[in-house]
Amino acid sequence: TFVSKLHLKDAPGGAYNVVGLQWYNGANGYEAGDTHCLCIALDVGRIQLMKSEVDKDPITLLTDMSIVETRWNHNGSLLAVAGCQAGVDKDINLVKFYNPMGAMVRQLKVPGKQLSSVSWEGG
């Protein structure tokens, strides 16, 4: 059932693909009462965090990497963003962790040629 069109704030010009559409459903509670729980990730490194599908003031993140996948943890307090960042000599696989307000908490370099997915243990 169609509800409405979803507006991407500050959407980049040109071609891009949606590579992540993750909605933390609140099954394990929320860290804060009115928090961002909907994540829309574009392959060009842009993420939009929203409180709902009709959020008028979403948060836009620029990750500085090509995004492969996103995943909320078990209680919606961290968003893992997997991707690849262009380096001087070679590309670097990274997983960046963001809180629901869009602040980057940590980043993790991942060895290997290509990162294709991200997952949380037990979640």
Side-chain angles (χ1 to χ4, degrees):
T1 304
F2 177 79
V3 177
S4 67
K5 287 186 178 184
L6 186 64
H7 175 71
L8 292 178
K9 179 182 175 186
D10 303 325
Y16 56 86
N17 294 305
V18 174
V19 293
L21 180 61
Q22 294 289 314
W23 201 327
Y24 171 64
N25 64 6
N28 294 317
Y30 291 100
E31 191 171 88
D34 190 24
T35 191
H36 297 85
C37 55
L38 174 60
C39 166
I40 302 165
L42 308 179
D43 60 352
V44 294
R46 191 175 298 256
I47 292 177
Q48 182 166 300
L49 296 177
M50 304 172 73
K51 294 179 180 180
S52 72
E53 71 277 11
V54 293
D55 190 348
K56 299 290 187 208
D57 193 27
I59 296 172
T60 301
L61 307 177
L62 303 175
T63 64
D64 295 324
M65 65 179 183
S66 297
I67 298 173
V68 175
E69 188 177 28
T70 61
R71 193 74 65 197
W72 288 105
N73 70 346
H74 71 285
N75 66 358
S77 63
L78 281 177
L79 176 70
V81 181
C84 182
Q85 189 174 56
V88 176
D89 296 327
K90 66 177 187 170
D91 292 345
I92 302 165
N93 295 319
L94 293 172
V95 178
K96 294 185 177 184
F97 299 92
Y98 294 88
N99 69 18
M101 295 306 296
M104 190 174 75
V105 177
R106 187 176 185 93
Q107 75 176 18
L108 175 68
K109 287 185 182 179
V110 180
K113 292 188 178 198
Q114 184 176 5
L115 187 61
S116 60
S117 185
V118 67
S119 173
W120 291 94
E121 181 180 352

